Amino acid sequence: MISAVWAALTARAPEDKCARVAALAEPDDGFDPSAASLDWSQVPGRPATPALVAPRDVPRRGLGSREGRGALVHAVAHIEFNAINLALDAMLRFPGLPTAYYRDWLSVARDEARHFQMLCQRLAELGFRYGDFPAHNGLWEAAEKTAHDPLVRMACVPRVLEARGLDVTPGMIERLQHAGDTDTIACLDIILREEVRHVAIGSHWYRWLCDQRGLDADTLFPQLLAEQGMEVHPPFNFSARAEAGFSPAELSRLEG
């Protein structure tokens, strides 16, 4: 089982990665990543394209053109591809957690692979393919910075970077409505609905790990963000964040 997850994580071709994720069996009580000798220099497995650039160097395009809509779909597809790797990495990076943890992150990997394939189909309909536009590597860089501790990973990746998707996707949908792109909206509606569960999984395991260590989750969260140099900015999707496990105290802090 470990070797199959590792093969999916290190697979470079997107089609191969998605097929391997779909074929993974449910982790059982014997799932133990500490028993494997893994060469983390091979991670993440990704294709030669898209070219990775600094976030400021990713061109901004309006949605009035097919190319602009293609760039938007590509940007979301790139996030979903990274999210496949992040979920698989979360399964292998942190040993000694309950079986339910590994099953949760496998379920996320399966969802992210399905989202990626759906967006690639939409890209093809617009005349493009994954790799045609430059992208940035911020999501994976955050994974590397949090590789030392599952508590920090759960706090800073699902509950910051992936939660950001809950905040900004409604605005994307509104812009696409003005552009009349109902097909892309249909993709984003599915992703937004299912990403709430993914962030909720991060929230659950963040709070579980805090409880195990006798830490106050609400107090610790802003401290971890400060330590990691992370900031959150409006707009905030308060209803989605509440559904995804953000406490009333956390939401109140965002409102302030």
Side-chain angles (χ1 to χ4, degrees), residues 4 33 47 50 52 58-59 62 92 108 115 119 124 190 198 210 224 229 231 234 240:
L52 298 178
V58 178
L92 294 176
V108 172
H115 295 169
L119 291 164
I190 293 169
H198 300 171
C210 284
L224 290 175
E231 297 180 357

Side-chain angles (χ1 to χ4, degrees), residues 106-183:
L106 174 57
S107 76
V108 172
R110 288 170 174 160
D111 284 351
E112 306 292 19
R114 181 166 43 79
H115 295 169
F116 175 75
Q117 291 172 312
M118 177 176 62
L119 291 164
C120 285
Q121 180 178 337
R122 180 63 190 136
L123 267 178
E125 292 166 357
L126 290 167
F128 304 102
R129 63 181 180 178
Y130 181 60
D132 282 353
F133 299 89
H136 69 79
N137 200 34
L139 194 55
W140 186 258
E141 289 169 356
E144 292 178 330
K145 287 177 64 178
T146 59
H148 63 289
D149 188 337
L151 188 153
V152 180
R153 170 70 65 85
M154 295 298 109
C156 295
V157 177
R159 303 191 90 236
V160 177
L161 299 180
E162 294 188 64
R164 192 65 187 149
L166 307 183
D167 298 329
V168 302
T169 302
M172 290 185 201
I173 290 172
E174 184 176 355
R175 291 169 60 209
L176 288 163
Q177 287 171 337
H178 291 302
D181 189 344
T182 57
D183 290 331

Side-chain angles (χ1 to χ4, degrees), residues 9-245:
L9 176 58
T10 55
R12 295 176 61 84
E15 300 84 358
D16 182 31
K17 186 180 296 289
C18 291
R20 289 180 180 275
V21 168
L24 289 172
E26 288 289 319
D28 58 25
D29 290 341
F31 188 89
D32 180 13
S34 66
S37 177
L38 304 176
D39 179 6
W40 293 101
S41 68
Q42 298 181 46
V43 173
R46 58 187 172 201
T49 58
L52 298 178
V53 300
R56 64 179 178 274
D57 294 329
V58 178
R60 293 181 176 273
R61 298 175 173 90
L63 299 184
S65 67
R66 180 178 58 85
E67 184 177 24
R69 294 191 296 277
L72 174 65
V73 174
H74 188 278
V76 181
H78 182 66
I79 291 169
E80 299 299 313
F81 184 80
N82 270 298
I84 302 169
N85 283 330
L86 281 164
L88 296 171
D89 184 271
M91 292 180 69
L92 294 176
R93 186 78 67 169
F94 307 115
L97 294 169
T99 303
Y101 167 90
Y102 303 109
R103 289 177 175 168
D104 274 349
W105 287 107
L106 174 57
S107 76
V108 172
R110 288 170 174 160
D111 284 351
E112 306 292 19
R114 181 166 43 79
H115 295 169
F116 175 75
Q117 291 172 312
M118 177 176 62
L119 291 164
C120 285
Q121 180 178 337
R122 180 63 190 136
L123 267 178
E125 292 166 357
L126 290 167
F128 304 102
R129 63 181 180 178
Y130 181 60
D132 282 353
F133 299 89
H136 69 79
N137 200 34
L139 194 55
W140 186 258
E141 289 169 356
E144 292 178 330
K145 287 177 64 178
T146 59
H148 63 289
D149 188 337
L151 188 153
V152 180
R153 170 70 65 85
M154 295 298 109
C156 295
V157 177
R159 303 191 90 236
V160 177
L161 299 180
E162 294 188 64
R164 192 65 187 149
L166 307 183
D167 298 329
V168 302
T169 302
M172 290 185 201
I173 290 172
E174 184 176 355
R175 291 169 60 209
L176 288 163
Q177 287 171 337
H178 291 302
D181 189 344
T182 57
D183 290 331
T184 301
I185 290 171
C187 295
L188 294 185
D189 279 338
I190 293 169
I191 291 170
L192 177 58
R193 183 169 63 249
E194 296 185 354
E195 291 292 347
V196 170
R197 187 181 74 88
H198 300 171
V199 178
I201 286 171
S203 291
H204 169 77
W205 291 109
Y206 166 68
R207 294 185 180 282
W208 184 88
L209 286 159
C210 284
D211 287 345
Q212 293 294 303
R213 301 181 192 185
L215 300 170
D216 181 83
D218 287 352
T219 302
L220 180 63
F221 186 63
Q223 295 174 6
L224 290 175
L225 267 60
E227 290 172 6
Q228 295 295 319
M230 291 179 157
E231 297 180 357
V232 293
H233 302 283
F236 299 115
N237 187 340
F238 288 102
S239 61
R241 281 176 173 264
E243 191 177 349

